[in-house]
Amino acid sequence: MAISVRIPTPLRKLTDGKAEVDAAGSTIQELFDNLESQHAGIKEKVFDDEGEIRRFIIVSLNGEDVRYIDGAATSVSDGDEITIVPAIAGGV
Amino acid sequence: MAVSKDQWLKQLRSDIPEVSPEDVRSELDAKKDVLIVDVREGDEYRQGHLPGAVHLPRGFLELQAESKLTDSTKDIIAYCAGGVRSLFAVDTLKKMGYGKVRSMAGGFTRWKQNGHPFDVPEVLDDDDRERYARHLTIDEVGEAGQVKLKKAKVLCIGAGGLGSPAAYYLAAAGIGTLGLVDYDVVDKTNLQRQILHTDDRVGELKTESAKKTLLGLNPKIDVKLYNERITSQNIDEIVSGYDIIVDGCDNFPTRYLVNDACVKHGIPNVHGSIYRFEGQVTVFWPPKGPCYRCLFPEPPPPEMAPSCAEAGVLGVLPGVIGVLEAIEVIKIILGKGDLLVGRLLTYDALEAKFRELKLRRNPDCKYCGSDDFPGYIDYEQFCAI
Ligand SMILES: [Zn+2]
């Protein structure tokens, strides 16, 4: 079962430039473990050493920040839309 | 034979009770339930009128009395410029069934001469009416909304990619006071997107260059310049007095200072950011919605953010995001529509797709979640975007 994950521009160098990649898993945690096996380095961009989502990254499930659901333990299923939204400072 | 004007006036004076400006003043001061009606023309009214006066030009008296003077038993005092036109007006009102109507002797001229207080209504002049004609015809703006825009004070942080389109449209829309903060000078590489600047101004301060363009478009606004880098030391002074802040800066330390100042002073923070082909827009305005720190409690460390070497942006992208910021500013001032409060709008130019992310306040937010302001933090300036 594949769930599509939207990759923001700054992380696309880890996904061969792809804006959207498929991953498998039943929780956010599993999804990113699976992503890491396909695109090494992506997990540490999103999670810190304690396994928490980094404080300057939002992982959203169908438009909702997973922090306000169950964090990394949030369950996901087929058809869900996962988006990674990083803090961006640029403006000029 | 027709009655002469003087004869008629004499007749009116004997029939209509007149009241002196001093007596009107004491009735107003005593908070007597009396309705003051200004029967002069619009241009006279706009020069100043008695406090609380209802404007009912004599030429429209019969047509508008019913809607503007709903209670025919109420005490009414009419006035004009010198006390003559109001006699005729009162005569008409009496014929229309208004029972307790008086005329103020000497009119507004004597009222003003004798030093009584008056209000100058906030209205647009003829030039404004022409300039903003396409605003005046939409109900959501109209004259009252345009006056609000004129009275508004908006501060743009950065006169670059986002600040250019935002400030440009805000100036066009008639924001009365536009502040610009930037310490940089115009560089040739800016011109691919920073539309306030021009080729012959390379090397000039961005604020000065921006001011020329903005006043060229709309000379009726006031542009205030801050040629400095924002720090914890100067931010309170810079933001104070502004109604709304447009964040279009290019670095994390400034974004956090701007957020924290907006939280501290209760100023809505219209936030936009861009990277290559992607942009984000939202409005941070606690307690209506989250602040920047509710989303991102801390800036990324240098090694986790794209470095300046990777910087690059499609020149048109800041146009899209900066203009979306300007629209939110206008909506806040007019009090119209659904704001991007608690919603992050993301735009991907390559896909031509907007997406929306629901944002929540973090109850544990150290800045907007507590009454004690924790203080500003000057994060290390590092080259990241
Ligand atoms: Zn907050």
Side-chain angles (χ1 to χ4, degrees):
Chain A
M1 197 168 67
I3 292 167
S4 115
V5 180
R6 245 196 83 70
I7 307 297
T9 314
L11 298 185
R12 284 182 203 164
K13 53 183 181 279
L14 299 169
T15 59
D16 309 315
K18 281 194 216 120
E20 226 158 77
V21 294
D22 285 341
S26 60
T27 63
I28 292 287
Q29 175 74 52
E30 289 177 21
L31 210 62
F32 275 88
D33 286 341
N34 180 262
L35 263 187
E36 177 69 17
S37 68
Q38 306 175 54
H39 308 283
I42 197 157
K43 206 179 157 190
E44 66 133 12
K45 291 283 186 189
V46 177
F47 293 87
D48 64 17
D49 296 342
E50 273 85 54
E52 298 286 330
I53 294 166
R54 291 192 183 275
R55 309 186 82 183
F56 44 86
I57 299 263
I58 292 173
V59 176
S60 93
L61 166 65
N62 303 328
E64 278 271 8
D65 187 342
V66 300
R67 272 194 192 89
Y68 298 103
I69 311 175
D70 278 323
T74 302
S75 41
V76 292
S77 52
D78 207 11
D80 281 344
E81 278 183 31
I82 310 294
T83 308
I84 304 170
V85 182
I88 298 175
V92 301
Chain B
M1 200 188 98
V3 185
S4 78
K5 189 191 86 183
D6 289 344
Q7 284 174 304
W8 191 8
L9 264 179
K10 204 177 157 199
Q11 182 63 42
L12 285 179
R13 283 217 160 91
S14 67
D15 292 349
I16 290 166
E18 284 188 290
V19 54
S20 71
E22 286 60 43
D23 289 342
V24 175
R25 173 79 187 271
S26 27
E27 290 189 30
L28 287 179
D29 287 349
K31 308 253 183 276
K32 261 194 74 178
D33 187 22
V34 55
L35 189 65
I36 310 291
V37 178
D38 187 322
V39 301
R40 297 173 302 161
E41 298 303 313
D43 54 335
E44 297 177 281
Y45 175 81
R46 287 192 280 275
Q47 302 290 314
H49 59 77
L50 263 66
V54 172
H55 185 215
L56 180 49
R58 199 181 145 228
F60 294 95
L61 202 61
E62 295 87 347
L63 296 170
Q64 296 183 352
E66 209 177 344
S67 62
K68 290 191 175 173
L69 313 174
T70 47
D71 183 358
S72 63
T73 64
K74 203 168 166 135
D75 256 320
I76 293 174
I77 298 174
Y79 74 91
C80 58
V84 174
R85 277 177 291 166
S86 56
L87 281 174
F88 291 110
V90 169
D91 188 41
T92 306
L93 286 171
K94 287 180 84 165
K95 287 185 177 126
M96 292 176 72
Y98 291 88
K100 296 192 285 183
V101 212
R102 291 170 288 166
S103 167
M104 186 168 83
F108 186 68
T109 309
R110 195 183 296 167
W111 172 272
K112 210 169 145 183
Q113 267 169 7
N114 294 359
H116 300 300
F118 59 95
D119 291 343
V120 179
E122 310 204 57
V123 290
L124 304 172
D125 60 28
D126 289 342
D127 182 68
D128 284 343
R129 280 204 186 84
E130 188 178 359
R131 177 178 288 272
Y132 306 117
R134 295 297 181 275
H135 265 169
L136 302 185
T137 50
I138 41 179
D139 289 345
E140 287 75 5
V141 188
E143 178 144 352
Q146 195 64 50
V147 168
K148 283 184 192 170
L149 296 176
K150 190 176 180 169
K151 286 171 69 185
K153 296 181 173 138
V154 178
L155 180 68
C156 296
I157 312 284
L162 293 170
S164 283
Y168 215 168
Y169 269 109
L170 291 173
I175 299 297
T177 306
L178 262 183
L180 301 173
V181 194
D182 209 308
Y183 62 91
D184 218 351
V185 294
V186 179
D187 184 89
K188 195 106 179 172
T189 62
N190 299 151
L191 301 176
Q192 162 252 25
R193 62 200 179 282
Q194 301 185 12
I195 57 170
L196 286 180
H197 312 304
T198 56
D199 196 69
D200 61 347
R201 295 191 208 136
V202 167
E204 251 182 67
L205 278 170
K206 281 189 181 175
T207 49
E208 297 288 352
S209 163
K211 184 176 178 174
K212 284 178 195 162
T213 305
L214 295 174
L215 291 181
L217 176 63
N218 190 347
K220 303 200 72 172
I221 63 166
D222 187 14
V223 179
K224 290 188 155 51
L225 306 182
Y226 305 87
N227 301 308
E228 45 200 319
R229 183 193 286 269
I230 286 184
T231 68
S232 59
Q233 298 303 305
N234 62 14
I235 190 158
D236 281 324
E237 205 182 313
I238 292 175
V239 304
S240 73
Y242 283 97
D243 305 314
I244 301 172
I245 292 197
V246 179
D247 187 356
C249 76
D250 63 346
N251 63 85
F252 283 113
T254 308
R255 291 211 182 258
Y256 281 87
L257 283 173
V258 168
N259 174 72
D260 299 350
C262 286
V263 171
K264 182 178 174 184
H265 297 279
I267 304 172
N269 173 12
V270 181
H271 173 99
S273 60
I274 45 174
Y275 180 72
R276 298 197 173 193
F277 295 94
E278 264 187 284
Q280 304 178 349
V281 203
T282 186
V283 177
F284 296 118
W285 198 1
K288 296 178 201 287
C291 79
Y292 192 47
R293 285 189 191 269
C294 291
L295 271 63
F296 306 118
E298 279 168 22
E303 68 275 13
M304 295 305 274
S307 78
C308 287
E310 298 171 73
V313 64
L314 183 71
V316 186
L317 178 72
V320 176
I321 302 300
V323 168
L324 285 171
E325 289 187 271
I327 288 179
E328 291 305 298
V329 169
I330 302 285
K331 283 160 61 188
I332 293 172
I333 296 167
L334 298 177
K336 300 287 178 194
D338 294 323
L339 298 173
L340 280 175
V341 170
R343 299 192 281 153
L344 180 74
L345 193 66
T346 63
Y347 173 62
D348 185 314
L350 287 180
E351 286 181 285
K353 260 194 185 146
F354 284 96
R355 291 183 173 80
E356 201 177 302
L357 175 62
K358 219 176 281 168
L359 304 177
R360 293 176 195 278
R361 290 191 74 196
N362 175 1
D364 301 324
C365 178
K366 289 199 172 65
Y367 281 76
C368 75
S370 125
D371 289 336
D372 296 320
F373 185 71
Y376 292 118
I377 301 171
D378 285 301
Y379 290 105
E380 180 199 350
Q381 290 277 350
F382 58 86
C383 191
I385 48 169

